[in-house]
Amino acid sequence: GTTTWWRRLSGKMEKKDIKELIEEFEQDMVDKEVKQVAEGGTNEVTPLETKQMEQALTRASDIFKPEVSCVFAFLHLRIPLDLIHIVTRVRGAEYNPKRFHAVVLRIREPKATAIIYASGKLVCMGARNEKAANLACRKFVRILQKVGYSEAKFAPTKAEPLIRNVMAKVKVPFPIRLEDLAVAHRDFVSFEPEIFPGLIYRMASPRVTIFVFVTGTVLVVGAKNRNQVYLAFDSIFPVLVEFKKVPEEESHTSSNISAPVTGGNNTELDPSTDARAESSGGPDQVEVFDEDEEDEEDAE
């Protein structure tokens, strides 16, 4: 059962099939344990099956592809900048030293925002992917070169890489029990539903922060690159499956059940009818027509 499930999971499938596959996998494991106990054998899982299970659960990013929504880039120009000189010569630049000691500069293509400090540091935010962040940083450097800072260069180093923070979003097809997850992983979790509806999971390796919501939405923040995003989601996915919320079965039992009438004087009354009769002061009075009384009235 595990091998069949693993082969199906390794192939191409749609997101809607994952819920059925997880339930099928869990049922296969239960059936296998029951069968082994009935045959008098051990119910331990073999190392090969354990490896297959781990591989199946660590490939969650192949099925639920995290979508990168925002990339933060950092660039050090290594030259001092005159912010007033920049804001007076660059169209669209904003500078309010009383509120924030940096120039805010925006471009439309690619859509990104730069925060430029007097020390020569530049922070680019709002880019949709790594390629857009790289192009936006080059354009910001070119703008500074045109206003008189010819020494400004786009030269990220290995010690100071360009991409510093990648934020991604992914949706799993089942709700999550945040309260139980917070209790089981309290050393890594911060959950205050009165302040913030999401659960904050601080992962040690890779060093990222994951926001988990009851609807199944997962946000990965703080990753250095896209690979760390995939690794973080692959690590948290087995935990999400463990604490998935199972919909409660609605009970269809009726509280008021009346027995059928058997005829004669052995009629069994409904208790709810007796209660209504007592609350109204007695049973409903039924008018009985006597044939003799009707004949007397006709004779008169």
Side-chain angles (χ1 to χ4, degrees):
T2 306
T3 305
T4 304
W5 189 86
W6 162 242
R7 289 176 179 176
R8 291 180 60 185
L9 185 60
S10 301
K12 295 182 179 179
M13 62 182 63
E14 298 180 358
K15 294 182 179 180
K16 63 182 180 180
D17 298 332
I18 186 62
K19 184 176 181 180
E20 289 78 5
L21 289 178
I22 293 174
E23 295 176 353
E24 178 183 346
F25 173 74
E26 295 175 348
Q27 185 62 36
D28 289 343
M29 297 304 299
V30 173
D31 295 341
K32 182 178 178 181
E33 292 181 359
V34 173
K35 182 178 179 181
Q36 289 180 345
V37 172
E39 294 177 354
T42 177
N43 59 350
E44 296 181 356
V45 182
T46 62
L48 178 61
E49 292 175 343
T50 303
K51 183 178 180 180
Q52 291 174 347
M53 291 165 55
E54 293 177 353
Q55 291 176 350
L57 292 177
T58 55
R59 291 177 179 265
S61 59
D62 295 337
I63 302 175
F64 306 104
K65 200 73 171 180
E67 180 181 357
V68 176
S69 58
C70 186
V71 176
F72 292 81
F74 173 82
L75 187 63
H76 201 330
L77 303 176
R78 303 186 184 281
I79 57 173
L81 300 175
D82 186 357
L83 301 184
I84 297 179
H85 175 80
I86 295 174
V87 75
T88 55
R89 285 167 174 78
V90 178
R91 182 172 56 185
E94 301 176 4
Y95 179 52
N96 188 355
K98 294 182 179 180
R99 297 183 59 184
F100 189 53
H101 293 278
V103 172
V104 179
L105 182 60
R106 297 179 177 88
I107 58 176
R108 296 181 179 179
E109 187 60 36
K111 189 176 182 180
T113 303
I115 300 178
I116 304 173
Y117 296 90
S119 60
K121 295 181 180 181
L122 185 149
V123 179
C124 176
M125 62 184 67
R128 293 297 182 181
N129 50 57
E130 296 87 338
K131 184 178 179 180
N134 189 305
L135 180 59
C137 288
R138 291 180 181 274
K139 286 190 174 184
F140 289 130
V141 173
R142 183 58 179 167
I143 291 173
L144 295 177
Q145 291 175 352
K146 288 183 177 181
V147 297
Y149 296 98
S150 58
E151 297 179 359
K153 295 181 180 180
F154 177 82
T157 61
K158 187 176 182 180
E160 295 181 352
L162 180 65
I163 306 300
R164 295 299 182 88
N165 190 347
V166 178
M167 184 171 64
K169 178 181 179 180
V170 62
K171 179 70 178 294
V172 294
F174 50 83
I176 302 168
R177 294 180 283 113
L178 299 183
E179 294 80 3
D180 297 340
L181 196 157
V183 173
H185 298 262
R186 54 182 174 271
D187 295 336
F188 308 96
V189 167
S190 175
F191 182 51
E192 296 291 340
E194 297 84 2
I195 302 175
F196 182 67
L199 180 144
I200 304 175
Y201 193 105
R202 293 178 174 85
M203 188 171 290
S205 179
R207 195 175 184 84
V208 299
T209 302
I210 301 176
F211 295 87
V212 183
F213 298 89
V214 68
T215 57
T217 302
V218 180
L219 296 178
V220 182
V221 181
K224 300 298 182 182
N225 49 56
R226 195 179 292 258
N227 293 332
Q228 286 192 0
V229 172
Y230 297 154
L231 180 60
F233 179 69
D234 291 339
S235 301
I236 197 66
F237 183 74
V239 179
L240 302 181
V241 174
E242 180 182 358
F243 293 97
K244 68 177 180 179
K245 182 181 295 186
V246 180
E248 298 180 358
E249 296 181 358
E250 298 181 356
S251 60
H252 299 283
T253 58
S254 177
S255 59
N256 298 328
I257 302 177
S258 58
V261 179
T262 57
N265 297 327
N266 296 328
T267 303
E268 189 173 353
L269 298 178
D270 188 358
S272 61
T273 306
D274 295 341
R276 290 194 301 268
E278 292 176 1
S279 61
S280 61
D284 296 339
Q285 297 181 358
V286 180
E287 185 178 359
V288 179
F289 296 95
D290 191 356
E291 296 181 356
D292 296 335
E293 294 179 358
E294 293 181 356
D295 293 338
E296 294 176 0
E297 292 177 358
D298 295 337
E300 292 178 355

